[in-house]
Amino acid sequence: MTARGPSGEPVMRAVVVHGPHRMALDERPRPVPRPDQVLVQVRYSACCATDFDVIDGTMPDQARYPIVLGHEWSGEVVEAPRDQADLVGRAVVADNLVTCGRCPACLAGRPNLCPHMDELGFSLDGAHADYLVTLARSVRVLPAGVSLQAAALTEPLGVALYGTRRARVGLGDRVLVLGAGPIGLLALQTCLAAGAREVWQADRKAERLALARRLGAAATLDISREELLPALARDGLAPDVVLECSGSPEAFATAIKAVRPGGRVGVLGYYADELAQIRPSDIMMRDLEVIGAVCPTGAWDAAVGLLATGRVDTEALITHVLPLERFEEAYAVARSGDGAVKVVLEVSPP
Ligand SMILES: [Zn+2]
Ligand SMILES: [Zn+2]
């Protein structure tokens, strides 16, 4: 049943960040799609560590307040452009980036670098709401057998997939993944899918490392108990690639030292304004490549396809599912990290 406002207009619930540290569940008018947009009824929308930066005000260049949070989601199309009417009723995900399509970056196939870029959940209203609107051309229909809950994590899977590609992880590589949060645990799986020989995973939380082993990590390093570099040296581990997924500047500095000479360091974490202490000579003298990866660029079709093959398990990461109205509790659980990997808001279950 459609909720109505005082003058009969359709309304919806939305988790809105009005400014730093001001978050509320509001009643808002239901968005009306433009001719090139779809209206989506959101089913699931996950909490992400990047949301903390929007909530805390530490992403001033990206966040535009007031903003509806939520960029990891799945839903069902309610309204579609006339020439894409077959989308109505389909279970979908969609690329969150809205780019100009005309600048040199867009034309070079790197829309994630578009200077005119907007993104759902940051500068355009996102998915922690009953409904969202987004470009019809950005929509991906879910293949049979992919659940809406699994698909809610397509965006972070795409981030991991893009980072894996950017760092050119391939057949026979030995990879060290720093951080066993959602991106780290997805990167573990995309590296294995890409043909990595072994993936080692480091984190401070034993339960996350246990999950990493269940998902295929050859070895795990608990850095709350032992220092990473001596442990690698003791075991004779010299990774071809290190993927830094923790967002800790110290971990970034460690990645530079841990990778083998001639190796590659993929930077998938976000560090806000924090600085890292590195010795640039380590990069020059050891012939390293340090490679950034931002947004799931060109990775949506592959991410959805990987989900359908079952070679990547996103649902294994979901530790909590809470109804939308319990968003404050959801973020408290996600922030504490205690026993939580991915916290998903159930907006309107299928
Ligand atoms: Zn995210
Ligand atoms: Zn552009």
Side-chain angles (χ1 to χ4, degrees):
M1 214 182 68
T2 306
R4 300 274 169 191
S7 40
E9 77 284 8
V11 292
M12 65 172 191
R13 304 166 303 157
V15 176
V16 182
V17 182
H18 291 270
H21 304 289
R22 289 191 296 128
M23 179 164 59
L25 185 68
D26 288 359
E27 188 177 88
R28 290 190 145 204
R30 195 168 91 180
V32 177
R34 293 191 320 243
D36 60 345
Q37 289 179 323
V38 287
L39 177 70
V40 174
Q41 180 169 25
V42 180
R43 295 302 186 192
Y44 296 98
S45 185
C47 301
C48 172
T50 319
D51 297 341
F52 303 149
D53 291 296
V54 178
I55 296 166
D56 297 346
T58 47
M59 220 177 209
D61 297 339
Q62 287 84 19
R64 192 182 301 150
Y65 305 106
I67 186 77
V68 178
L69 278 180
H71 60 274
E72 303 178 0
W73 58 272
S74 61
E76 272 171 42
V77 175
V78 179
E79 288 176 34
R82 207 170 298 169
D83 59 347
Q84 285 175 276
D86 56 327
L87 284 176
V88 173
R90 307 297 293 273
V92 298
V93 293
D95 187 344
N96 293 312
L97 298 190
V98 177
T99 56
C100 79
R102 287 187 293 272
C103 72
C106 281
L107 292 174
R110 303 187 77 174
N112 55 331
L113 304 179
C114 174
H116 314 291
M117 179 176 86
D118 278 313
E119 187 172 8
L120 265 69
F122 298 92
S123 56
L124 297 171
D125 285 336
H128 286 5
D130 289 311
Y131 295 89
L132 63 78
V133 288
T134 194
L135 289 173
R137 67 163 190 262
S138 301
V139 161
R140 266 68 173 185
V141 174
L142 296 182
V146 176
S147 78
L148 281 155
Q149 215 173 93
L153 301 190
T154 306
E155 197 270 355
L157 173 58
V159 168
L161 203 154
Y162 179 59
T164 301
R165 281 180 177 164
R166 283 277 291 159
R168 305 195 306 282
V169 173
L171 272 183
D173 277 340
R174 292 155 306 175
V175 182
L176 169 65
V177 177
L178 299 182
I183 297 296
L185 290 166
L186 292 167
L188 155 68
Q189 299 181 69
T190 52
C191 286
L192 290 172
R197 186 188 343 169
E198 299 187 316
V199 180
W200 312 311
Q201 196 127 20
D203 199 278
R204 302 185 166 279
K205 294 207 161 79
E207 75 273 9
R208 289 186 170 197
L209 293 173
L211 179 54
R213 286 191 294 275
R214 282 206 297 285
L215 292 170
T220 54
L221 302 152
D222 186 341
I223 51 170
S224 72
R225 293 165 171 270
E226 57 178 344
E227 279 194 59
L228 184 77
L229 293 173
L232 289 176
R234 181 199 61 216
D235 296 340
L237 303 178
D240 301 296
V241 180
V242 179
L243 296 183
E244 204 309 281
C245 301
S246 75
S248 145
E250 293 78 25
F252 172 73
T254 302
I256 301 286
K257 294 201 177 96
V259 74
R260 72 157 166 80
R264 306 180 291 284
V265 174
V267 184
L268 284 71
Y270 177 67
Y271 310 83
D273 281 336
E274 293 185 82
L275 301 180
Q277 265 202 326
I278 60 162
R279 206 172 60 157
S281 295
D282 285 340
I283 299 174
M284 182 269 188
M285 290 299 290
R286 302 176 67 237
D287 227 357
L288 303 184
E289 290 177 72
V290 179
I291 304 162
V294 63
C295 301
T297 313
W300 283 86
D301 293 315
V304 169
L306 261 187
L307 280 177
T309 66
R311 289 167 74 193
V312 169
D313 183 356
T314 54
E315 278 177 303
L317 278 57
I318 299 175
T319 49
H320 298 73
V321 180
L322 292 169
L324 180 69
E325 56 273 17
R326 285 166 67 185
F327 66 98
E328 278 177 323
E329 182 185 342
Y331 277 104
V333 170
R335 222 186 257 265
S336 78
D338 288 334
V341 179
K342 207 61 176 164
V343 182
V344 173
L345 293 171
E346 189 173 62
V347 181
S348 59

